[in-house]
Amino acid sequence: MYPFIRYASTIARAALEVKKGNTLTFKDSSEITFRCRLTDIDNFLEMNNGRVFTLYDLGRMDFAVRSGLGSQLLKQRWGLVVAGSTIQYRRRIRAFEKVTMKTKIVGIDTRWIYIEQSMWVKGKPCSSALLRTGVTEGGKVIETARVLAALNQADWQLPPTGYVAEWIVSDADRPWPPQS
């Protein structure tokens, strides 16, 4: 089941941070903490891989609200979409462990915003995800220049480099629709 209460709580906490003046720009990183709950674990008593991906939504929402993107989404009647992702799992997260989630933008091109997210326990990385995300209007992805302009960050650029650029190229070679 989707963690609606956690999601709402994350939005409320982020809105409170904004009221306190703890805002972000697209150049900043977001950090939130939470505990791995019994509803997050699988039969191996560790956080379920699918749940990891679901909980990454919380970090992206915190970033959106604190960066001002959330208010622009409401004002402009925009939406958000994840159009691609890859994830690495390196360490188990057990029930009740305190998790720190980090979210940052690692690249922007004309259409997509590339986000890196990671989960850490006791200062050690457990998983890392790279996502291709976009802002939508009327069901279509809009140019990132419009998004940046709405956030008064029109002059900011972060072309994808390194592993992000390599992933973009590699993902473009992936057949769609799937062959089987």
Side-chain angles (χ1 to χ4, degrees):
M1 181 169 176
Y2 194 82
F4 290 107
I5 293 172
R6 268 177 153 164
Y7 191 76
S9 174
T10 298
I11 292 171
R13 268 186 267 139
L16 184 60
E17 290 298 315
V18 170
K19 278 192 174 214
K20 291 180 187 177
N22 296 328
T23 59
L24 301 171
T25 69
F26 270 27
K27 299 172 188 167
D28 298 321
S29 295
S30 161
E31 238 180 69
I32 62 172
T33 58
F34 57 89
R35 294 231 177 243
C36 177
R37 298 179 181 175
L38 291 176
T39 54
D40 299 331
I41 63 172
D42 59 19
N43 55 326
F44 298 108
L45 304 178
E46 62 190 49
M47 190 179 287
N48 176 279
N49 293 339
R51 187 59 141 201
V52 169
F53 234 19
T54 298
L55 292 175
Y56 276 135
D57 282 355
L58 305 179
R60 291 192 306 279
M61 189 50 56
D62 176 74
F63 189 93
V65 171
R66 293 183 54 210
S67 69
L69 178 59
S71 61
Q72 286 300 318
L73 293 173
L74 293 172
K75 181 179 175 183
Q76 308 286 344
R77 302 185 72 173
W78 288 343
L80 295 174
V81 67
V82 172
S85 60
T86 184
I87 191 164
Q88 296 174 324
Y89 300 96
R90 294 294 186 263
R91 184 181 178 279
R92 289 176 172 86
I93 299 173
R94 304 278 186 196
F96 308 114
E97 286 187 311
K98 186 177 180 181
V99 178
T100 300
M101 182 188 301
K102 301 177 184 184
T103 303
K104 67 179 179 177
I105 295 176
V106 291
I108 296 180
D109 60 24
T110 58
R111 190 169 185 210
W112 305 110
I113 300 169
Y114 299 91
I115 298 174
E116 181 183 72
Q117 295 186 271
S118 56
M119 289 188 191
W120 302 69
V121 172
K122 297 178 183 171
K124 295 183 180 174
C126 300
S127 67
S128 176
L130 175 62
L131 299 103
R132 177 187 303 106
T133 67
V135 176
T136 62
E137 181 177 53
K140 303 227 187 266
V141 176
I142 64 172
E143 290 190 5
T144 53
R146 282 185 63 196
V147 178
L148 292 171
L151 296 170
N152 296 317
Q153 297 183 51
D155 61 336
W156 191 57
Q157 295 180 8
L158 186 61
T161 60
Y163 73 96
V164 178
E166 291 170 10
W167 178 68
I168 294 167
V169 170
S170 174
D171 200 55
D173 284 341
R174 188 174 177 180
W176 189 263
Q179 302 302 309
S180 56

